[in-house]
Amino acid sequence: MATEQELDEFLRDVERRAFKRTAYTVRDEEAALDIVQDAMIRLVERYADRPAAELAPLFQRILGNATMDWFRRQRVRDGVVQNLSDFEGGGDDGDFDLLERLEALHGGVGVEGADTSVARQQVLAAIEDEVARLPARQREAFLLRYWEELDVAETAQAMGCTEGSVKTHCSRAVHTLARALRLRGIVP
């Protein structure tokens, strides 16, 4: 069973990395902060009685689930159709420009060209697809090392394997991803 001090130290150590990973994933710093805080609260409420060695993998699982929940909620929110009248600015001049209003509501969405935005989304979707296709242990090692920025020893501890296994899994994952993305026409 982890002591309160061990739990506090773990949360303090993982906070910055978890925030960075989540902010990169959701591309919204405020949402990332909420997700990380919710994950930390869940860990403390539900798993404080676990040994300190189990905290890292438990937290990674909780954080991943919390991030997926956020994406699901966003998808539902984005799927709701707004009435055109909801966009009107309330000005009495009768001059209403939907694109200007959308840009104001969404903080300059119109700055990036549609072709650039679509291409970026396609590349990210392709990367996500290929990461999802990796064998479970390779995917876990890859995400912990490169998403979470854990070192080899920390990754080995979180995965419950040797450092050599982590290096092997990561190497195989990187080579598999590079080959798969090249086949899709995606080159660095």
Side-chain angles (χ1 to χ4, degrees):
M1 183 165 142
T3 66
E4 188 173 329
Q5 182 180 357
E6 289 174 322
L7 190 57
D8 287 343
E9 287 176 13
F10 170 76
L11 293 174
R12 195 172 24 259
D13 290 343
V14 77
E15 180 181 25
R16 181 169 288 144
R17 290 190 316 264
F19 173 75
K20 186 176 180 181
R21 170 187 170 201
T22 307
Y24 175 75
T25 303
V26 301
R27 291 178 169 59
D28 181 340
E29 289 188 358
E30 291 179 23
L33 184 58
D34 289 342
I35 292 167
V36 170
Q37 288 176 342
D38 288 345
M40 289 179 161
I41 290 169
R42 286 182 198 157
L43 179 74
V44 170
E45 288 177 346
R46 298 180 185 156
Y47 300 104
D49 60 339
R50 298 290 180 98
E54 293 181 17
L55 295 178
L58 282 169
F59 181 72
Q60 296 307 325
R61 175 71 49 101
I62 293 168
L63 183 61
N65 290 340
T67 303
M68 291 306 298
D69 290 345
W70 182 85
F71 277 113
R72 286 185 195 108
R73 286 191 303 273
Q74 288 301 112
R75 192 174 305 135
V76 169
R77 250 184 239 131
D78 291 345
V80 175
V81 179
Q82 296 179 340
N83 293 330
L84 189 57
S85 62
D86 292 344
F87 291 108
E88 293 180 352
D92 295 332
D93 60 2
D95 187 22
F96 173 69
D97 186 343
L98 177 60
L99 292 177
E100 286 179 5
R101 183 67 179 150
L102 282 172
E103 189 172 6
L105 285 172
H106 298 290
V109 169
V111 175
E112 183 177 60
D115 56 339
T116 305
S117 178
V118 168
R120 182 175 44 80
Q121 289 173 355
Q122 288 173 340
V123 168
L124 289 174
I127 292 170
E128 288 175 3
D129 287 346
E130 294 303 332
V131 168
R133 288 184 182 151
L134 289 172
R137 295 295 278 177
Q138 287 181 21
R139 183 175 53 245
E140 183 180 14
F142 177 81
L143 291 174
L144 288 173
R145 286 283 291 128
Y146 301 111
W147 252 196
E148 287 298 316
E149 297 180 355
L150 299 181
D151 64 24
V152 174
E154 292 170 327
T155 303
Q157 183 180 9
M159 291 178 64
C161 64
T162 65
E163 292 181 22
S165 293
V166 168
K167 291 176 185 178
T168 300
H169 290 311
C170 284
S171 175
R172 289 178 180 166
V174 168
H175 289 343
T176 301
L177 287 172
R179 184 173 45 254
L181 293 174
R182 257 189 257 105
L183 289 173
R184 288 183 175 217
I186 301 169
V187 290

